Amino acid sequence: MITDFISAGANKSEDEHRRDVCTAGRLIHNRAFVAATDGNISVRLDSRRVLSSPTSISKGMMVPDDLVITDLKGRKISGRREASSELAMHLLIYNRRPEVHSVVHAHPPAATAHAAAGIALNKALLSELIITLGCIPVAPYGTPGTQELSDALEPMVQHYDAILLANHGVVTCGPDLLTAFFRLETLEHFAQVSLMTEMLGKQVLLSGRDVEKLLVARARYGTTTAATVIPGCPVTREDAAGSEQRPERISVTREELEALIEEAVRKDRAVRQA
Ligand SMILES: [Zn+2]
């Protein structure tokens, strides 16, 4: 039976993992983190096998038998359905992060809007987010289901537990499925709060000293990110003030630049002839 309960931990029977993946699917679908057949969820069963949601099915309508088992290269071992073409992104993370036992990919609206706008969620706006996720970068665009996407993600997977995928969605990971799912929920919640502060027209960032104290707390909470401190992550009040002092840069087209110069020359001539 599929319930709405996922217990913590990765040390479970294959049947339990199958039920948990279906439950997580219903949770991400019910929260509108995906539409139609979007998204995919996986867990590492052991050192050579991964259990994942299949392609072309609503993640809110899966039953345990729908899931697919592959090896860490994506070759199918068992299952009547086919694996998702986005499984490669999950495998990249499993191969690079031995401590990760679950990966979730979804398209939650506020976080995906940031991904589509190319805006990283990297500001020191919420204390707890600095402890849980640090900051969330945007991986450059790569066509979904291709090597291009894995290549774009690769430099980031060692350092972050949640990543925005430009013009696509998000991916989160963790030591178990419950954590990977919570990170997805936390990411979307932060994206919504961040967007609301933009709408309010004001963001008061935490200071560098505040962030330092939170990073100490982060180590105490045992956050699993490989790198605990990434330079410039998150952006503090002082960082933001520093960037404001830099001269503003604008861009103009060649035509606009030529028109501006012509106008200046014309005005200069008019002044001289007067
Ligand atoms: Zn996707």
Side-chain angles (χ1 to χ4, degrees), residues 39-40 86 105-107 144 168:
N40 25 79
E86 283 172 336
H105 163 62
H107 305 165
H168 181 174

Side-chain angles (χ1 to χ4, degrees), residues 128-203:
E128 287 184 19
L129 192 102
I130 294 164
I131 295 174
T132 54
L133 291 178
C135 47
I136 302 128
V138 187
Y141 180 73
T143 309
T146 68
Q147 185 61 34
E148 207 181 33
L149 179 58
S150 295
D151 290 347
L153 259 181
E154 186 167 19
M156 295 182 176
V157 301
Q158 294 286 355
H159 306 292
Y160 301 95
D161 296 319
I163 300 172
L164 302 178
L165 311 170
N167 307 92
H168 181 174
V170 310
V171 63
T172 63
C173 63
D176 60 14
L177 177 55
L178 188 64
T179 309
F181 168 70
F182 280 164
R183 285 175 176 165
L184 177 67
E185 228 179 14
T186 301
L187 161 60
E188 175 61 5
H189 187 254
F190 180 52
Q192 288 182 19
V193 171
S194 186
L195 188 60
M196 286 177 193
T197 60
E198 294 276 358
M199 288 158 79
L200 290 168
K202 191 172 177 189
Q203 292 183 324

Side-chain angles (χ1 to χ4, degrees), residues 53-74:
S53 54
T55 188
S56 308
I57 189 171
S58 164
K59 302 307 161 303
M61 300 175 188
M62 297 185 298
V63 295
D65 249 11
D66 286 325
L67 307 188
V68 185
I69 296 178
T70 63
D71 65 13
L72 282 164
K73 287 200 164 83

